[in-house]
Amino acid sequence: MSAFAKPENALKRAEQLINVGQKQDALQALHDIITSRRHRAWQKTLERIMFKYVELCVDMQRGRFAKDGLIQYRIVCQQVNVTSLEEVIKHFMHLSTEKAEQACNQAQALEEALDVDDLEADKRPEDLMLSYVSGEKGKDRSDRELVTPWFKFLWETYRTVLEILRNNSKLEALYAMTAHRAFQFCKQYKRTTEFRRLCEIIRNHLSNLNKYRDQRDRPDLSAPESLQLYLDTRFEQLKIATELELWQEAFRSVEDIHGLMCMVKKTPKPSLMVVYYAKLTEIFRTSDSQLYHAYAWLKLFTLQKSFNKNLSQKDLQFIASSVVLAALSVPPYKHKRSASHLQLENEKERNLRMANLIRFNLDHKLDNGEVLSRSNLLSELVLKGVLSCATQEVKDLYHLLEHDFLPMDLASKIQPFLTKISYLGGKLSSAPSLPEVQLSKYVPALEKLATLRLLQQVSQVYQTLKIESLSQMIPFFEFPVVERISADAVKYNFIAMKVDHMKGVVLFGNSGLDSEGFQDHLVILAESLNKARAKIHTPAKKAPKLGEMLPSLADLVEKEHKRLLARKSIIENRKEAQELLLLEVERNAEMRRKKQQQIAEEEEKRRLASEIEKRKNQMILDEIHDKEIAQAKALLEDVGKHRKKKLRKSVLDGENVTKQAIMEMALNEQLRERQEMEKKLQKLAKTMDYLERAKREEAAPLIEAAFEHRLVEEKLLHEREQQLEVELSRQRHDGDLREKNRLTRMLDNKIIFQERVTSLRQVEYDRRRVEREDQIQQMLHTRKREREAMRKTMFFVQNEEEKQRKMEEEEEARKREEAERQRKIDEERRAKLDEIAEKQRQRERELEEKERKRRESLLGRSINGFSEPTVGSHPLEPGAVAPATAATTASAAATTKSDAAATTASDAAATAGKYVPKFRRERTEDSGQAPPPELDRWGSSRHDDPTSQPSDRWRTEDRRPSFGGGGSRSTWSSSRIPPRGGSGR
């Protein structure tokens, strides 16, 4: 690396090298001085060096050198003089652009000169040869040789400048200007690939700018000037993308504009929004997104009507007509039928994304997937007055397509309007930012819509229609085209029709249960039948049965009382819990307050300790600073001792003298000494140059004489060596001939030996081949036997497994039959038991009925003979005394409801309602312990017992079932009825 004391020396040295044609050395010298750490303070000389440096880089096409030098120069002048960096960059781009234009002009001139070189010959021979070899024409070859390198360098220049200025807030205007010039370069020379890369570069710069917010010189996007520059760059990017027909990149540019506005939460000016929506209309029209195209036109209409005061009535009509026709061009059916869940989610996300772009929402809170639809769009056209501003032809066409029902002559009435509309359009004089309006581009979509409407209306009128008639009704398309349109409509459930080419008819309607028409008819029929039934059979209002409600009122009051008591206890518990919670909160707050107070005291202690530590550190730093100043003064004095002129003492003893100032003074003194030493060395070098030149002038004749003498000697030596080589070659040739004659005599023996060896090897080969074939055959037979044995073994194993499986299946079938037979036997046994039980219950009911009749007859007799004597007239049997006493005791405790306890004499103390087995009842009847019913019924105890109840109470109690004794169902029979005498009621 060359070391220059001053930058001026490096600049002079570079100019000298350029004059002698050594541009690479000059560039390296300037690069060394730019990247040197000794010259980091900006001065005007560095600017001149940079101008010369970029000129050399452009001449030699050294983009990497230029980028490195500009980065180093930015470090030097970023905080001192950033305008100098701007001037250098502008000069750099100007030189690159000028060189590229010169290359283009040169290539064009060369092509023109080649074209008129020979008027008689079609092509030159060299051109023909080059065309056969390379396959290129003259212009392509000249472009590749002359223009392409400069285009590459110009593109690298733009990328370098954008990379250097991407985070520089002081050069935002230069960054925007560079981006604009790069866009124009891509537009002028149709560089689509470079345009995509440029857009990606600018997009990455913005994302990094938003990602790393802690940079020192980062541009502030909230500033209006910065935001406007970034917006202008994005809008220029959008315009160039549409002009180059890069629609995907244009849509990404639209997203970039929307993202930038969402970043700063600010809507652009209306003039910019007009350009935004104008480009959106072109993008959506190219992508066949009619719905979004129509919404973009609607936003354009709203902006022009609101902010363009110079808009003429004719232009307003054209814009409104475009909006209405774009809305009508949207297909009248949705593409969501038979779509998967993933497709529906993607469509919803796409609708939200497009809605945010079209309506320019900056908060991304739109969450309605159906907000963009054809029906909503048409309703907005009517509400916002767009339809009223359109031309009369467009209005009539709108009413015909959307409101009128003309199945037979719809197409014939629409066709004149489409013809008129196809001639409307042109440039808008009062709205230059809008694209040229041509209504004819909507005619194909309107013809398709008219076809769909006609098919829809015809399907509501006809069930069958001939293909010829339908073709005559639709003059826009041939029938195959109509068939494709109808297939799409049927797919998305817009119409229901089928085409029968064998019969030549079109069938309308859908007889399936899932058809909409069939469902509507069923719903209408159901509603009509419900209304008719309601009119015929009026529902009567039932009067409340108060009598049924009164018995349950007591229970309701009791339940309500209990519920209120429970609610009261719950409220009290909640109050107690709330009080406990408040106490806990107060306790926690007191603990937090004490803890905070303790923390504050600790913080105060730490602060006091840190202040004391800072004071100590400051004292130490002051001492170190004083020592450094003393050392610097001593160093400066040592430097002054070596000079004849001593330094002034007032400079060293000044009050404001710092270490830095003293060090700079010492460095200046050293620099002066070095410069004086360099001057002495230069003078000594000049003296040495003169001496060396004189020496060489004296030695030149002697060198010439020595050179001539050496030539003569070398010529003689060459001749001797040549003769020696000839002799050696002749001797080698003679020796080779003798060797050949000697070996020729052995040629026959060599052939015989070769044949013998060959025959022996052939015999050995045949023997080994035969052995190999025998071995292979033996192996094949062995493997065949093994496969047969394996096959037999597998067949035997499979047969055994099949037998085992069949045996298991038979065993399982036998077990299932046995289980089925056992189940049938159990069912038969259960049925017999049920039959026996049913007969037993029938017999008990018959006995009970007989007993009831007998009681009724006895009750009637007792009423007639009430005045008969009681006990004394009919003496009781001895065995009836104990039952009578037990029955009297049981009747005295009537509240226990044990009227059926006194069944027999032996069961007097049994529990009330207890089940008595049948064999005991029969034993009691057979033993004769119970007295005859007549004697017991009219015994004296019946009238003497004060606790006896009427006979109807006895009859009612006897018919109640008993649920004691294990829960089995039982009824009272005649054998369990106690006698009416002294032993019962």
Side-chain angles (χ1 to χ4, degrees), residues 716-824:
L716 295 174
L717 180 63
H718 175 70
E719 290 176 355
R720 283 198 304 271
E721 289 179 352
Q722 189 71 19
Q723 291 176 0
L724 182 61
E725 183 67 25
V726 170
E727 292 295 332
L728 290 175
S729 297
R730 186 177 292 110
Q731 291 175 5
R732 280 197 300 269
H733 179 68
D734 295 339
D736 292 340
L737 289 176
R738 287 193 300 272
E739 186 69 19
K740 179 181 178 182
N741 293 329
R742 188 179 67 84
L743 295 175
T744 303
R745 293 178 298 173
M746 296 183 290
L747 181 61
D748 297 335
N749 296 328
K750 174 253 182 184
I751 293 171
I752 294 170
F753 177 76
Q754 182 179 356
E755 290 177 354
R756 185 170 62 252
V757 172
T758 304
S759 61
L760 291 175
R761 290 184 179 179
Q762 181 66 33
V763 170
E764 181 69 17
Y765 169 75
D766 294 337
R767 184 181 61 78
R768 291 188 179 184
R769 183 172 58 80
V770 171
E771 292 177 357
R772 178 64 177 170
E773 289 177 355
D774 295 340
Q775 186 179 1
I776 290 173
Q777 291 295 330
Q778 186 178 1
M779 290 173 64
L780 290 175
H781 287 304
T782 304
R783 290 180 182 177
K784 185 176 180 180
R785 287 195 300 272
E786 290 178 356
R787 284 198 300 271
E788 289 178 355
M790 180 63 68
R791 194 178 297 111
K792 290 178 180 180
T793 305
M794 291 177 63
F795 179 73
F796 176 75
V797 171
Q798 289 178 357
N799 288 338
E800 291 296 324
E801 291 178 353
E802 185 68 23
K803 290 179 181 179
Q804 185 68 21
R805 185 178 60 79
K806 288 182 179 180
M807 292 175 63
E808 291 177 357
E809 290 179 354
E810 291 175 357
E811 182 67 19
E812 290 179 358
R814 187 184 61 76
K815 289 182 180 179
R816 284 197 299 271
E817 291 177 358
E818 184 69 23
E820 184 68 20
R821 186 166 57 255
Q822 185 67 28
R823 185 180 61 79
K824 289 182 180 180

Side-chain angles (χ1 to χ4, degrees), residues 373-515:
S373 62
R374 188 176 188 271
S375 57
N376 293 342
L377 177 60
L378 293 176
S379 61
E380 285 187 17
L381 296 184
V382 178
L383 291 175
K384 294 183 178 180
V386 180
L387 189 62
S388 60
C389 296
T391 59
Q392 188 62 35
E393 293 83 1
V394 175
K395 293 179 184 177
D396 296 339
L397 184 63
Y398 171 79
H399 288 291
L400 282 173
L401 290 173
E402 296 297 327
H403 298 293
D404 295 345
F405 185 80
L406 302 169
M408 299 301 296
D409 52 354
L410 178 63
S412 60
K413 289 190 176 182
I414 286 176
Q415 193 170 12
F417 294 111
L418 294 180
T419 305
K420 293 180 182 179
I421 288 172
S422 62
Y423 294 106
L424 296 178
K427 294 185 178 180
L428 304 178
S429 58
S430 58
S433 57
L434 293 183
E436 184 178 357
V437 176
Q438 292 294 340
L439 302 184
S440 59
K441 60 188 177 183
Y442 299 109
V443 171
L446 294 174
E447 290 177 350
K448 183 178 177 181
L449 177 64
T451 304
L452 290 172
R453 290 298 185 196
L454 189 143
L455 292 174
Q456 184 185 27
Q457 295 177 9
V458 168
S459 65
Q460 297 176 8
V461 177
Y462 296 99
Q463 290 184 351
T464 306
L465 189 65
K466 290 185 177 180
I467 294 177
E468 295 82 1
S469 303
L470 186 62
S471 300
Q472 293 176 2
M473 294 168 63
I474 303 175
F476 310 122
F477 307 109
E478 298 293 333
F479 186 74
V481 181
V482 176
E483 192 173 2
R484 286 197 298 270
I485 295 173
S486 61
D488 197 20
V490 169
K491 176 183 177 182
Y492 295 112
N493 204 24
F494 181 69
I495 57 175
M497 62 175 288
K498 297 179 181 178
V499 180
D500 192 346
H501 288 282
M502 296 182 64
K503 298 180 180 179
V505 296
V506 178
L507 305 174
F508 296 102
N510 189 359
S511 59
L513 293 176
D514 57 345
S515 61

Side-chain angles (χ1 to χ4, degrees), residues 620-630 657-660:
I620 294 170
L621 291 175
D622 293 340
E623 292 178 0
I624 293 172
H625 182 66
D626 294 339
K627 290 181 180 179
E628 288 179 350
I629 290 177
V657 174
T658 61
K659 178 185 176 183
Q660 186 67 25

Side-chain angles (χ1 to χ4, degrees), residues 306-338:
S306 302
F307 297 101
N308 194 351
K309 304 301 181 183
N310 301 324
L311 188 65
S312 62
Q313 186 65 27
K314 183 179 178 181
D315 293 345
L316 183 63
Q317 281 188 351
F318 279 156
I319 298 173
S321 301
S322 297
V323 176
V324 176
L325 294 180
L328 290 176
S329 300
V330 180
Y333 46 79
K334 298 179 181 179
H335 294 75
K336 295 182 180 180
R337 186 177 177 86
S338 70

Side-chain angles (χ1 to χ4, degrees), residues 69-167:
L70 288 173
I71 290 174
Q72 296 296 329
Y73 191 64
R74 180 186 63 179
I75 296 172
V76 172
C77 62
Q78 176 68 34
Q79 305 298 330
V80 180
N81 189 4
V82 75
T83 309
S84 176
L85 177 63
E86 181 178 1
E87 294 297 329
V88 171
I89 290 176
K90 286 182 179 179
H91 184 63
F92 179 44
M93 288 194 297
H94 173 71
L95 291 175
S96 302
T97 307
E98 187 177 6
K99 288 290 185 180
E101 292 176 355
Q102 289 177 3
C104 289
N105 297 333
Q106 185 179 358
Q108 186 177 1
L110 181 61
E111 180 63 24
E112 292 175 357
L114 291 173
D115 290 340
V116 298
D117 189 13
D118 191 357
L119 297 177
E120 294 183 359
D122 294 336
K123 289 186 178 179
R124 298 180 303 171
E126 53 268 27
D127 292 338
L128 288 174
M129 292 175 65
L130 286 173
S131 64
Y132 287 133
V133 173
S134 63
E136 296 178 346
K137 296 182 180 180
K139 185 176 185 306
D140 297 337
R141 189 162 52 253
S142 62
D143 289 346
R144 180 170 55 82
E145 294 175 355
L146 299 175
V147 181
T148 304
W150 284 111
F151 275 6
K152 289 183 178 179
F153 182 76
L154 182 57
W155 168 246
E156 189 176 359
T157 299
Y158 289 137
R159 290 194 59 173
T160 299
V161 174
L162 290 175
E163 184 67 24
I164 290 172
L165 301 178
R166 61 189 178 92
N167 290 331

Side-chain angles (χ1 to χ4, degrees), residues 917-934:
K918 183 179 178 182
F919 69 91
R920 287 188 180 182
R921 295 199 303 271
E922 294 176 353
R923 189 186 307 166
T924 305
E925 291 177 358
D926 296 338
S927 62
Q929 294 179 1
E934 293 80 1

